[in-house]
Amino acid sequence: MPEQQAKEFISRMMTEIHKQVIGQQQPLQMIVAALLAEGHVLLEDVPGTGKTTLAKALSQTFQADFHRVQATPDLLPQDLLGGMIYRPQTGEFELRKGPIFTQFLLFDEINRSTPRTASALLEAMAEGQVSIDGSTLTLPKPFFVIATQNPLESQGVFPLPEAQLDRFLVKVKLGYPTLEEERQILQRFRTGTQPEQPQPVITPELLAGIRQQCKKVLLTPDVQNYLLHIVRATREEQTFLIGASPRAALSLMALSQSLAWMDGRDFVIPDDIKHSVVPVFAHRVVLTPDRRARGETEESALLELLERITVPSELAITP
């Protein structure tokens, strides 16, 4: 797809989403990039910041089946996956598919569910299939998950295990709106104006074609070495107890390629990698206890690490 068409496509998608969502331009860009990179998204922030609204608006721009699951502590794995039920009329067992059998799944407040239920997503997110009563069933394609979670300081939440977190390509924080954005939100609700519904602009076939184009975005040897130096630094420096895994490195490459494509380029530049590091790594790496005791976070430590790694010259990043 030519550069101008790529930008027009992303612009149309963002325009439709902004019929429901005010602001959040940067988080939206990262979420769309994750969709194009064939990854899943974890949205984290305090309740009431519009996580669910954003996810639903994105799903409406996508011509695909959509299901929403509200997590609670008593939600069971079979409530998500489904199971075999007995039909007295026929004397046979019949599969009742759960809400996971969809193309776009919104799992709301995932960390309010028990670890057993949250782990039911592992196979689905990693392999696009689920196992029910000894049978393996393939999920529809594409299969895209947006899960929202409340901060760990909130009441009644369970921390997600590392294996579960690793299945999310990115973790995105929305943050609070700006003063002007919050004024627009108040105005919309004060007047009772119903926002327009986003219209579908992307089909599964179009998405599959774009994903293939993103995979073809070039990483020159110097840019690839820059990416690998960042990955290895998380493992070798004393800042992190757990560094980035090979899967994290692949995720960083895929997201960088998607961001480059969205910007209308067929090659990755260091800025694409820089913008991807925190969303891809922050939920995968673990700080050492002494660093955490100083008040540092994974995000701040990663940004500090980026400052110490030499960026390739412009001549080395262009094909």
Side-chain angles (χ1 to χ4, degrees), residues 282-294:
H283 60 294
R284 290 180 162 105
V285 299
V286 177
L287 282 179
T288 57
D290 61 315
R291 290 277 185 161
R292 193 172 295 282
R294 296 180 205 169

Side-chain angles (χ1 to χ4, degrees), residues 272-284:
D272 297 322
I273 296 173
K274 283 184 176 181
H275 294 155
S276 303
V277 167
V278 170
V280 173
F281 285 178
H283 60 294
R284 290 180 162 105

Side-chain angles (χ1 to χ4, degrees), residues 22-25 176-186:
I22 295 174
Q24 304 295 356
Q25 189 70 27
Y176 292 112
T178 64
L179 177 62
E180 184 54 37
E181 289 168 355
E182 199 150 19
R183 182 178 286 112
Q184 293 178 41
I185 294 171
L186 293 178

Side-chain angles (χ1 to χ4, degrees), residues 140-157:
K141 292 183 180 180
F143 178 66
F144 179 59
V145 176
I146 287 187
T148 70
Q149 75 168 2
N150 298 328
L152 290 180
E153 295 78 12
S154 304
Q155 295 292 324
V157 299

